[in-house]
Amino acid sequence: MTQSPVKLAVFDCDGTLVDGQAPVCDAMEAAFASAGLAAPPRHAIRQIVGLSLPQAIRYLAPDAAEETVGQMVTAYKDSFRTARERGEVAEPLFEGMADLISALRADGWSLAVATGKSQRGLMHCLATHGLTDSFASLQGADGHPSKPHPAMLEVAMAEALAIPANTVMIGDTLYDMEMAVAAGVRPIGVSWGYHDNATLTEAGASAIADTAEELRALIHGAVP
């Protein structure tokens, strides 16, 4: 008997699974303060969610010296860690996402995460919501090039024993869509995150969901 091919749905974390914009903005403002720089407006900070931390800071502070960027990376991590230890980091799941994850698993899908978060931050976030065991592969910024490089998706597919034709990438930023295109998997956008629908479409999104229910239908329609 031939085994059915693995169907893999890979999710971004911040802006797709969870709403983590406030702690990200707080930590980035602390990073800029540590270097004596004026922080960019929060709407600009939200646009870099999805990139790895060094690349995000480089994008927001293009004239900063490498040493300064390194200092800001450390300050960001310290600020975020302190806030988490104080119980001040709130990263609630978006409406319907817990039910969607359960439904996809019941439907026979393997699930993975590909995120700009550190592995430590990702594990803490998923554990908070009791979701750690829901995913066959967890890929964070540690040890990978930043999105939109396809490395995280390629490793996720390898670990889940999936192929590009049977894999979808779900995300809220152009970096997620471009990563999916680079990896040869189908990109599906969500409208409740950090980048608008026009940006997602231009970056390659095959469709954009407005609700978790719509997303489930789009995921099922993406793979035969």
Side-chain angles (χ1 to χ4, degrees):
M1 181 179 295
T2 303
Q3 187 175 4
S4 298
V6 173
K7 297 183 296 183
L8 177 64
V10 185
F11 289 85
D12 169 56
C13 190
D14 287 326
T16 302
L17 288 175
V18 303
D19 184 1
Q21 66 178 1
V24 168
C25 290
D26 291 343
M28 191 63 75
E29 288 169 353
F32 272 77
S34 76
L37 300 175
R42 289 200 163 199
H43 71 80
I45 295 174
R46 294 185 187 103
Q47 295 304 300
I48 55 79
V49 172
L51 293 176
S52 65
L53 184 54
Q55 186 169 340
I57 290 176
R58 170 57 64 202
Y59 180 88
L60 293 171
D63 298 327
E66 285 301 317
E67 182 179 353
T68 302
V69 171
Q71 172 189 333
M72 293 169 72
V73 166
T74 299
Y76 180 103
K77 291 179 177 178
D78 289 345
S79 175
F80 207 102
R81 185 180 305 113
T82 298
R84 180 182 293 127
E85 290 171 351
R86 292 175 177 172
E88 297 172 353
V89 173
E91 297 177 301
L93 287 169
F94 284 106
E95 182 177 357
M97 296 309 290
D99 290 340
L100 172 63
I101 290 168
S102 295
L104 288 173
R105 294 184 71 196
D107 294 338
W109 285 77
S110 288
L111 306 179
V113 177
T115 176
K117 279 183 176 295
S118 67
Q119 198 74 12
R120 177 177 178 175
L122 174 59
M123 294 298 291
H124 182 274
C125 178
L126 295 179
T128 298
H129 298 293
L131 294 176
T132 307
D133 294 336
S134 297
F135 297 94
S137 179
L138 298 174
Q139 302 304 318
D142 307 331
H144 289 299
S146 177
K147 298 175 184 179
H149 193 283
M152 283 191 279
L153 271 180
E154 291 169 348
V155 174
M157 286 188 284
E159 290 186 353
L161 303 179
I163 61 173
N166 293 329
T167 301
V168 295
M169 174 67 207
I170 302 104
D172 66 299
T173 70
L174 68 90
Y175 314 117
D176 299 312
M177 303 300 100
E178 290 175 348
M179 178 175 66
V181 171
V185 310
R186 185 169 180 182
I188 298 177
V190 299
S191 64
W192 53 79
Y194 299 111
H195 290 176
D196 61 32
N197 288 8
T199 299
L200 296 176
T201 299
E202 185 176 351
S206 62
I208 299 172
D210 291 324
T211 66
E213 291 77 11
E214 284 186 18
L215 181 55
R216 183 182 180 188
L218 290 173
I219 291 170
H220 278 291
V223 174

